[in-house]
């Protein structure tokens, strides 16, 4: 039995046993075409990729009878190269890591997590941000405030208060009480117990907002008249540019 379309209905789920297929398999991964062997795809028996080609078929076929996987095809070549030769990719690390997680190829996942890019993100940056209370929620709050203020304007701004210690948090609250503005529109980050500085956190905020597709910059918030503290001790203005 071959994998040509004359033996299978167009676009239907395959019902025959994969054990009867030719050892050569043609794949359509997100529009990218690949040819490999069943043994390569099943190299790691516990992976999701191996399960796709074990026992009863779990994939549909395209109009040419190729097995179709609805994932980014560009990065599958790195997955396939690893399965063929144990070569760990050195390009597109973040994207290949996502695909390795999807296909659940545990050895590749572990090796990619040892790479500087993934190690730095998972072990260093993400571990730090996990110690900043409500970090993800505050990022979303910043975006909601910026979008609400974007009507008929090129830029909108969000005031952020960043405090590293409990003492600074108390001082920040005193400073907030002297601010002549709606305190609900000030997004507060911190305090946290970790080595990274306020500057590091500001960089993380910018990085994560930009990762959502926004153009953003920040600067120390200028002191208002009658302000009782140096505003740059705690307050920063993030500018969202819309066009």
């Amino acid at each position: 039995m071959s994998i040509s379309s004359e033996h299978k209905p167009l676009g239907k789920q395959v019902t025959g046993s994969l054990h009867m297929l030719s050892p050569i398999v043609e794949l359509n991964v997100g529009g990218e075409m690949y040819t490999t062997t069943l043994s390569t795809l099943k190299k790691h028996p516990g992976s999701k990729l191996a399960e796709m080609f074990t026992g009863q078929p779990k994939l549909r076929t395209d109009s040419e009878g190729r097995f179709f996987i609805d994932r980014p095809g560009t990065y599958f070549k790195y997955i396939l190269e690893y399965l063929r030769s144990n070569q760990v990719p050195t390009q597109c690390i973040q994207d290949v890591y996502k695909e390795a997680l999807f296909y659940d190829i545990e050895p590749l996942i572990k090796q990619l997590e040892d790479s500087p890019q993934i190690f730095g993100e998972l072990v260093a940056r993400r571990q730090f941000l996990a110690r900043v209370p409500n970090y993800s929620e505050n990022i979303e709050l910043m975006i909601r405030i910026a979008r609400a203020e974007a009507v008929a304007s090129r830029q909108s701004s969000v005031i952020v208060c960043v405090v590293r210690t409990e003492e600074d948090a108390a001082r920040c609250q005193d400073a907030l009480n002297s601010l002549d503005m709606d305190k609900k529109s000030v997004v507060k980050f911190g305090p946290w117990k970790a080595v990274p500085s306020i500057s590091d956190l500001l960089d993380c905020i910018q990085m994560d907002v930009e990762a959502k597709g926004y153009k953003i910059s920040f600067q120390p918030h200028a002191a208002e008249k009658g302000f009782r503290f140096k505003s740059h001790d705690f307050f920063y203005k993030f500018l969202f540019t819309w066009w």
Side-chain angles (χ1 to χ4, degrees), residues 4-155:
S4 64
S5 58
E6 66 184 53
H7 293 295
K8 297 186 288 291
L10 176 63
K12 302 292 185 179
Q13 188 155 345
V14 185
T15 58
S17 172
L18 278 164
H19 295 298
M20 300 174 61
L21 288 175
S22 164
I24 307 300
V25 179
E26 294 184 355
L27 302 172
N28 176 344
V29 185
E32 299 282 342
M33 310 308 165
Y34 295 94
T35 301
T36 186
T37 65
L38 274 177
S39 60
T40 296
L41 296 170
K42 296 164 64 176
K43 183 174 180 179
H44 298 284
S47 69
K48 182 177 179 180
L49 184 62
E51 290 179 359
M52 290 178 181
F53 296 91
T54 301
Q56 285 294 109
K58 303 171 182 65
L59 297 171
R60 294 181 179 274
T61 57
D62 66 10
S63 60
E64 299 297 323
R66 294 174 289 235
F67 288 108
F68 179 73
I69 303 176
D70 194 13
R71 295 294 296 180
T74 303
Y75 310 116
F76 189 74
K77 64 182 179 182
Y78 300 109
I79 300 293
L80 201 54
E81 187 59 33
Y82 176 78
L83 295 174
R84 287 169 172 163
S85 61
N86 291 322
Q87 179 176 328
V88 179
T90 57
Q91 299 176 333
C92 308
I93 300 297
Q94 297 281 356
D95 294 302
V96 176
Y97 180 67
K98 293 177 183 177
E99 297 310 296
L101 288 172
F102 174 78
Y103 294 114
D104 194 21
I105 304 173
E106 190 65 27
L108 177 56
I109 292 171
K110 290 181 178 179
Q111 291 184 70
L112 287 173
E113 287 179 348
D114 283 337
S115 69
Q117 298 93 324
I118 304 299
F119 179 87
E121 175 68 16
L122 295 180
V123 177
R125 200 174 84 92
R126 284 296 161 190
Q127 288 295 318
F128 159 52
L129 295 179
R131 301 184 183 189
V132 180
N134 303 313
Y135 177 81
S136 297
E137 293 85 348
N138 283 339
I139 293 291
E140 296 301 327
L141 178 58
M142 285 181 61
I143 292 172
R144 288 198 300 271
I145 293 172
R147 291 175 69 94
E149 296 183 357
V151 178
S153 61
R154 184 172 186 179
Q155 291 183 320

Side-chain angles (χ1 to χ4, degrees), residues 177-229:
N177 292 335
S178 69
L179 270 177
D180 184 21
M181 63 182 302
D182 182 3
K183 298 176 182 60
K184 292 183 180 179
S185 66
V186 178
V187 182
K188 177 175 171 290
F189 287 84
W192 64 86
K193 294 181 179 180
V195 173
S197 65
I198 287 177
S199 176
D200 294 326
L201 181 66
L202 292 169
D203 288 340
C204 286
I205 294 171
Q206 181 174 14
M207 184 185 307
D208 288 328
V209 173
E210 288 180 339
K212 295 179 181 292
Y214 296 91
K215 185 177 180 180
I216 190 174
S217 62
F218 67 88
Q219 61 192 34
H221 179 52
E224 310 243 346
K225 184 178 180 181
F227 198 74
R228 292 186 298 156
F229 297 87

